[in-house]
Amino acid sequence: MESNVRVRFAPSPTGPLHIGGVRTALYNYLFAKKYNGTFVLRIEDTDQTRYVANAEQYIIDALEWCNIPFDEGPNKNEKFGPYRQSERKNLYKEYADILIKTGWAYYAFDTSEQLDALRKGHEAEGKTFIYNWHNREKGKLVNSLVLTADEVQAKINAGENYVIRFKTPQDELLRMEDEIRGNIKIDTNTLDDKILFKGDGMPTYHLANIVDDHLMQITHVIRGEEWLPSMPLHVLLYKAFGWEAPKFAHLPLILKPVGKGKLSKRDGDKLGFPVFPLEYTNEKTGDVSRGYKEDGYFNDAFINMLAFLGWNPGTEQEIFSLEELIAAFDLKRVSKSGAKFSPDKTKWFNQQYMQTKSDAELTELFLPILAEKGITKDKEYVLKVVTAIKERAVFVNDFWDLSNFFFETPTEYDAKASKKNWKEGTAELMQELIEVISNIQDFSSENTEKEVKEWITAKEIGFGKVMQPLRLSLVGKLAGPHLFDIIAMIGKEETLLRLKNAIEKL
């Protein structure tokens, strides 16, 4: 592998960054770092009609949160800047003109009305209209291939709208190599003459990305499968300019969890999961889209999940640190077929990462949630709570529901559990238990458990007759960690208060 690996992530700032785009950025990042290369961010904003003002910053913020920051890009190490295509506008016209001069491109003055009429005419005959070798020089189309040089110049001088089209070679078998998909062959006669430069003075993606990739010395183009049909044109453009083409790798689609097709925002809205890394507010409509960060996902769990959507290490290992992903990543192990997104698997990854976080780190994340609820407890107590409940949590946001009884006295009791476990004679039994607990001096979990169980054994009654009502009294439901750990943490006074409350209310 070359020592000067340079890859780029080139999103369009037309809205929030879909997780498919994040995965493309991730694979580029992993590949670059594996070979000590450079990860470039380029903003491809040639489509001004769809430009969204806050989208570029969103993209940058998302990459930062994912911990896959770019090495070069807008306002950062601008070695080959500028990195916004709108700021490179004049550059593309120069290269379009080069293709005109060398015969690889031509001016086309056809109006949209003329082209629509030709399409409808072909459709009426059961044919498909393609602007290419078949008809570009037959006289029905208005372009510089059939006009004289003077006629072309006259039209340009008169301000007539035109585009510049690529002149696709005729009767060639184009052989290409994709790092993921292997050998690809295309008959150039099936290709159309794509527009390279538009009437609004802006290049199309096809021209701009080729020129930029060459000038920015990109060695590998790793991008989504949707660009695979454009690969022949891009390879031909490199040939037309006399440049060495980078290696291409087209990533598989991320598929819907249910049904067929590409994962969309609509799927997330319908099934209740985010498809964007960060929460996004549409400035025009005010609509807010959910984000993985705000939904409580750890960034490293999110990245680990994304890495497995289309790639596998060839082993049973599923939990990878970013450093391990870099070491293991290989384009040869990226799948050709689409990867089905699983909301449940995504939650599983987050739960796995929850267990790898230190209790102290999770405590710091839980404290603001408690503060919002007006609860002040010393950090040591909260840390003990986190230690007791974190194994049952998927998100830090789950901590409150799993632990509220550590901070507040229950005021309600689960109806189904109460009916089943609080029976005739239970109140008297709990009153006796109050006396037992009142006399316990060493209120550690171990000792309290020992003395209460000795009392139950001496009374020759089933443990369930005491333990279930006791848990119901302390927690309000039949849930929570080890019962005597709860007792030790809330203390004797609170334990007795809760037992008395349960006797009165149940």
Side-chain angles (χ1 to χ4, degrees), residues 428-429 432 436 453-462 466:
E428 291 75 13
L429 205 54
E432 283 186 53
V436 173
K453 286 185 174 179
E454 284 177 355
W455 169 72
I456 294 172
T457 301
K459 284 188 69 69
E460 297 183 341
I461 57 175
V466 174

Side-chain angles (χ1 to χ4, degrees), residues 292-303:
Y292 278 88
K293 177 185 178 183
E294 291 75 15
D295 266 25
Y297 285 86
F298 298 116
N299 59 349
D300 41 8
F302 173 68
I303 283 298

Side-chain angles (χ1 to χ4, degrees), residues 24 97-98 128 138 148 154 157 166 217 245 278 283 287 292 295 319 331 392 403 415 432-433 488:
T24 298
D97 288 342
I98 289 172
T128 301
K138 289 185 175 179
T148 66
N157 292 343
F166 185 69
Q217 298 179 10
L278 309 178
E283 290 186 335
D287 292 341
Y292 278 88
D295 266 25
I319 303 302
L331 283 174
R392 297 170 180 83
S403 70
E432 283 186 53
L433 183 56

Side-chain angles (χ1 to χ4, degrees), residues 95-105 166-167 239-241:
Y95 284 94
D97 288 342
I98 289 172
L99 294 176
I100 291 279
K101 290 175 184 175
T102 56
W104 280 96
F166 185 69
K167 188 179 179 183
K239 180 181 178 182
F241 282 119

